[in-house]
Amino acid sequence: MSDSLTSITARARCLLKDSAGLTWSEAEIGECIHQALDDLNQAAVQAWSLAGLDGAAATDLPPGLASLLARGAAAFALFMLAASRADLFNFQPGVCQAYTAAGSALLRQFQCGLSLLAQVRATELQSSADAPFPTEADELPAGWRLEDDLG
């Protein structure tokens, strides 16, 4: 099964115990997924997309990262909820702290996954057979070309 906005939303809602969508709207969960995907892309120095998010028709996110994306989205959703309820009177003392603690735990897991992505990328660059920069063997040298070089 290919991952999409719908499947990642379902996975994030499962982590949040909100399968019916009573606590978070589709727009809120979508924004949390968007933020988590942006963080994944930044850590991996990629431009992965998710079908259904920002008009993307297909998903090119590696399948193993779907869980990490859902976990990051759930963390952001918990922080969003804690922030929205921070100033409200609540008959359950400590509920905002509980949301914040749960969000912090998920965020730590998400950040560990992002760190691992960055390490994997660095290892791939260091062990690559191809240089990550232009070499003397390249047809066109790097940098700006002056007009007299074009003719």
Side-chain angles (χ1 to χ4, degrees), residues 19-79:
S19 298
L22 300 176
T23 306
W24 290 274
S25 70
E26 288 297 316
E28 289 171 329
I29 291 290
E31 180 58 26
C32 293
I33 292 170
H34 190 279
Q35 295 295 323
L37 182 61
D38 284 350
D39 285 357
L40 269 174
N41 282 335
Q42 187 175 12
V45 191
Q46 295 290 330
W48 291 317
S49 60
L50 186 64
L53 186 64
D54 293 334
T59 297
D60 57 2
L61 180 73
L65 296 180
S67 293
L68 184 61
L69 179 59
R71 196 174 307 125
F76 292 143
L78 285 167
F79 284 126

Side-chain angles (χ1 to χ4, degrees), residues 123-149:
T123 301
E124 287 174 351
L125 286 174
Q126 292 170 356
S127 61
S128 175
D130 298 323
F133 49 82
T135 64
E136 292 177 10
D138 290 339
E139 289 182 22
L140 295 174
W144 292 94
R145 297 185 67 191
L146 301 176
E147 299 239 358
D148 59 341
D149 290 343

